[in-house]
Amino acid sequence: MELSRSYRNLIRTELIVPIVLLIIGTYGGLMQVLFRAGVLHYDPVLRLLIDTLGAVFGVEALRNIDLQSSIMYYWGLTLHGVLNAIVFTTFFAVAFGNAVVPYFLRLPLNTRVGWLSATVMLIGVGFTAFAMLSGQASVLYTFYPPLKAHPTFYLGAALLIVGSWIGAANWIPLYRRWRREHPGEKVPLAVMGMFATFIIWFIATLSVAVEVLVLLLPWSLGWTETVDVPLARALFWFFGHPLVYFWLLPAYVMYYTMLPKVAGGKLFSDAAGRLVFGLFILFSIPVGAHHQFSDPGIGTQWKLLHTALTYAVAIPSLITAFTLAASLEYAGRQRGGRGLFGWMTRLPYFDRQRWLFSYWIAGLFIFIFGGISGIVNASYNLNLAVHNTAWIPGHFHLTVGSPVLLAFLGMSLFLVAQLSGKEVRWKGVVVAMPYLWLIGVLIFSWGMMRGGLLGMPRRTYLGAGALSPDLQGTPLYRADWAPYAEIAMVGGIIMFVAMVLYFVAFFVTLFSRRVHEAALEFPVAEAYHDEPVRALNRLAPWVVAAVVLIVVSYTPVLIDVVRSSFKPAPAYVPEYNVPEKQLQQMTDQETQGVAKQR
């Protein structure tokens, strides 16, 4: 393909900007494990930065900012969740699609529309970053009301989503042209996977648009004083669980279309990949109520329905497990593997020329544990035992925090190097990073999940609470949680070191000398079984079936929530357990009292 300068710069911008923001999010993750274990009670780097700025500019107010960890925990956790799980993943999905769809269809992308998409997304991130960095949006990545953020947070999130819609819509003319020019041919599997990804994204984000525009933004602007919390939660989880598959499917595109080639073999079945993408469209959205098992106002019969559908969405992942195992076995045997398991030893785990393999295989190994723990979350009874405990972030880092993250990091480096005409540098470090991450995340997640089984909560600050050394010897101190928070901290530190190594290798490559012409060439795998299956060559029937299933599963849930008799809630800030308005009145009274004394 002929790569225009505008096209290359578009994809590089959509990859480099989120990688830079990921540095902030990664640092926030390190602070979380240190705060939760009670090792730190304030952010030393931020304290030093603020003190320095205050001294340089002579602003005393800066040096008086309260950085106690009970406040910084929620601030940092919001940055960690939003930048890592929303901003980075959305930018990558659009950038990867901008590379994959034109490449496999052999048609040029409309870069004007592409830059419009990127610009809208960047403006959205700017608004959201302003709200978060200024401490006016410590609402975590779920932005649950009654925690209230500055209006720019909600506006920025909306613009990020709209920008991604524009980016995906830019692929439709290419797809339609390809269909006209190739009647009767199978759509390339990678293209089918990217369209499946954004079909799920578009349907799921419609509920967020309603939540933000109807409930949260008017409330944040002060047009309404209260918000309907149960309805907002139901709308969020209509989006929140499908979001997992928006993250996961670009990785699946790599697994099906590129991993077998890099491993030295073939994809075992092309039809299996097409079936998997269709099943994800069908089952990924009508499952969100399983996040609300403990929420009142939703009938248990509808929770049971969402439980069954959650088990159903595990089917495409099981198909993927068997298909990829067969593909890798074929590759191992082609490379000289013998016996029942001898093929496993022949795969290129540490091959510096096939360094992408380490990112995919390490993520797949971790995903085994992520899938098992996900089935636990789907069970009604078991979910009640782990709901809102540290088990959940432990599980989360075994899914999006490992196979998705590692696949996205590896492909980001691959694309930036190719489109910049650079050779990947520090390949030894690049290959080692996924395995170091694997060690760290298994330690971290085991500590979090084991602590969760003992009731150690998530979303709350533990360092200044149940695990603070100042509370030792009192009934408030939870000694049984302490060792698992410390184990999680050890794993988190290892994960942070792995990310630092990646960032160094990424930017050393980015700023290295250009050694060849810019190019775009994916390692495309042939299919061992490539029989045409007409029913699996179109996505429209899957979309229609998905819409029907969504209506059936979510209409009664939303009716129950709307009919519930819960009172609308006033706004809160996470650091205090009184409404924001009451807190402001208390502050005003204290200010007036001081003024009278003076």
Side-chain angles (χ1 to χ4, degrees):
M1 290 178 59
E2 183 179 347
L3 306 178
S4 68
R5 180 189 295 266
S6 177
Y7 178 70
R8 289 184 280 116
N9 288 339
L10 170 65
I11 296 178
R12 288 191 300 178
T13 300
E14 291 173 335
L15 293 173
I16 295 170
V17 169
I19 288 290
V20 172
L21 294 174
L22 190 63
I23 297 173
I24 301 174
T26 300
Y27 175 74
L30 175 66
M31 289 298 103
Q32 299 311 303
V33 294
L34 297 176
F35 285 157
R36 289 178 68 91
V39 173
L40 289 182
H41 299 281
Y42 70 96
D43 187 329
V45 174
L46 190 61
R47 177 78 275 171
L48 177 63
L49 177 62
I50 288 178
D51 287 347
T52 302
L53 290 174
V56 170
F57 295 103
V59 182
E60 188 64 29
L62 280 177
R63 284 178 282 184
N64 293 329
I65 292 177
D66 188 358
L67 292 183
Q68 61 176 306
S69 51
S70 59
I71 293 175
M72 297 308 300
Y73 176 79
Y74 298 102
W75 182 81
L77 186 55
T78 301
L79 283 171
H80 179 65
V82 172
L83 294 180
N84 291 20
I86 303 295
V87 174
F88 172 65
T89 55
T90 304
F91 267 93
F92 176 85
V94 174
F96 187 53
N98 283 339
V100 163
V101 175
Y103 177 84
F104 281 88
L105 297 183
R106 298 296 171 180
L107 294 171
L109 187 76
N110 185 330
T111 55
R112 289 185 179 180
V113 177
W115 276 110
L116 174 62
S117 163
T119 301
V120 173
M121 292 169 67
L122 288 169
I123 293 172
V125 169
F127 281 143
T128 305
F130 163 77
M132 292 188 297
L133 293 173
S134 62
Q136 300 179 80
S138 296
V139 293
L140 313 187
Y141 102 97
T142 50
F143 50 90
Y144 276 168
L147 299 181
K148 186 170 75 171
H150 191 274
T152 54
F153 177 84
Y154 302 117
L155 179 60
L159 289 174
L160 177 66
I161 290 171
V162 170
S164 70
W165 289 351
I166 296 171
N170 195 26
W171 310 332
I172 296 175
L174 276 64
Y175 173 79
R176 297 181 67 179
R177 176 181 167 186
W178 187 92
R179 297 286 299 204
R180 289 195 304 269
E181 296 176 354
H182 300 79
E185 293 186 26
K186 289 196 299 185
V187 176
L189 180 59
V191 174
M192 188 175 185
M194 290 311 303
F195 272 96
T197 300
F198 276 85
I199 288 170
I200 293 170
W201 174 248
F202 177 75
I203 298 174
T205 49
L206 290 176
S207 68
V208 173
V210 173
E211 181 187 8
V212 168
L213 297 177
V214 177
L215 297 177
L216 301 183
L217 194 55
W219 175 58
S220 180
L221 289 168
W223 298 347
T224 58
E225 291 190 359
T226 57
V227 66
D228 188 332
V229 172
L231 179 58
R233 285 171 63 90
L235 290 173
F236 177 84
W237 284 117
F238 183 99
F239 156 80
H241 196 85
L243 178 63
V244 173
Y245 304 105
F246 171 69
W247 295 327
L248 193 59
L249 259 61
Y252 271 46
V253 170
M254 299 178 218
Y255 294 157
Y256 275 99
T257 64
M258 303 175 199
L259 170 62
K261 175 71 171 181
V262 173
K266 296 181 179 181
L267 171 64
F268 186 73
S269 171
D270 176 86
R274 295 174 190 275
L275 176 62
V276 163
F277 292 131
L279 289 174
F280 273 126
I281 293 174
L282 181 63
F283 290 124
S284 65
I285 298 173
V287 298
H290 85 250
H291 288 268
Q292 298 180 270
F293 282 155
S294 62
D295 285 15
I298 300 175
T300 54
Q301 69 272 38
W302 313 127
K303 294 176 181 178
L304 175 62
L305 174 60
H306 281 241
T307 298
L309 292 172
T310 304
Y311 288 133
V313 83
I315 294 172
S317 290
L318 289 172
I319 295 173
T320 298
F322 286 105
T323 304
L324 294 184
S327 303
L328 292 175
E329 179 176 356
Y330 179 84
R333 296 194 183 283
Q334 289 296 108
R335 295 168 61 89
R338 297 290 182 269
L340 188 60
F341 299 112
W343 59 272
M344 293 184 180
T345 64
R346 295 291 183 169
L347 297 176
Y349 300 105
F350 301 102
D351 188 336
R352 296 189 182 192
Q353 302 308 312
R354 301 170 185 255
W355 57 268
L356 265 173
F357 183 82
S358 63
Y359 286 79
W360 292 329
I361 196 67
L364 283 170
F365 180 79
I366 299 168
F367 196 35
I368 295 172
F369 303 98
I372 293 170
S373 57
I375 294 297
V376 170
N377 299 343
S379 165
Y380 187 87
N381 289 341
L382 294 177
N383 185 283
L384 293 179
V386 301
H387 184 73
N388 268 347
T389 71
W391 170 285
I392 303 300
H395 156 74
F396 194 69
H397 283 79
L398 295 173
T399 52
V400 64
S402 289
V404 172
L405 175 69
L406 291 176
F408 286 16
L409 291 178
M411 186 52 61
S412 294
L413 179 58
F414 176 83
L415 288 174
V416 167
Q418 281 213 343
L419 294 172
S420 301
K422 311 290 181 68
E423 182 71 23
V424 173
R425 306 294 298 275
W426 290 27
K427 284 188 178 178
V429 170
V430 169
V431 171
M433 180 271 173
Y435 301 118
L436 184 61
W437 178 270
L438 182 151
I439 295 169
V441 80
L442 291 181
I443 295 172
F444 166 82
S445 293
W446 188 84
M448 294 289 282
M449 296 169 77
R450 186 65 181 85
L453 293 177
L454 296 176
M456 188 167 74
R458 65 167 174 158
R459 291 200 181 105
T460 59
Y461 173 62
L462 297 182
L467 295 180
S468 173
D470 297 336
L471 295 178
Q472 289 189 14
T474 72
L476 297 176
Y477 186 74
R478 287 297 301 263
D480 55 332
W481 294 351
Y484 301 110
E486 291 165 359
I487 290 171
M489 178 186 67
V490 171
I493 292 172
I494 295 173
M495 294 159 68
F496 178 76
V497 171
M499 287 301 299
V500 170
L501 292 176
Y502 174 84
F503 291 137
V504 171
F506 181 90
F507 288 105
V508 167
T509 298
L510 180 64
F511 295 114
S512 64
R513 184 172 55 85
R514 184 174 177 177
V515 296
H516 56 74
E517 289 296 318
L520 180 60
E521 187 67 35
F522 288 111
V524 183
E526 297 180 33
Y528 187 80
H529 294 286
D530 196 19
E531 300 82 358
V533 182
R534 290 188 61 185
L536 299 178
N537 197 36
R538 299 185 69 86
L539 293 176
W542 296 101
V543 175
V544 172
V547 170
V548 172
L549 193 56
I550 290 166
V551 171
V552 170
S553 64
Y554 254 103
T555 299
V557 170
L558 294 176
I559 290 174
D560 279 3
V561 169
V562 171
R563 286 180 175 177
S564 63
S565 58
F566 299 102
K567 294 181 179 180
Y572 282 74
V573 290
E575 298 87 10
Y576 304 98
N577 59 357
V578 295
E580 183 183 46
K581 190 172 182 180
Q582 182 180 341
L583 183 67
Q584 185 61 47
Q585 290 172 351
M586 294 165 57
T587 304
D588 292 343
Q589 290 171 2
E590 291 178 2
T591 303
Q592 292 171 7
V594 172
K596 288 179 180 179
Q597 291 177 3
R598 290 179 178 175

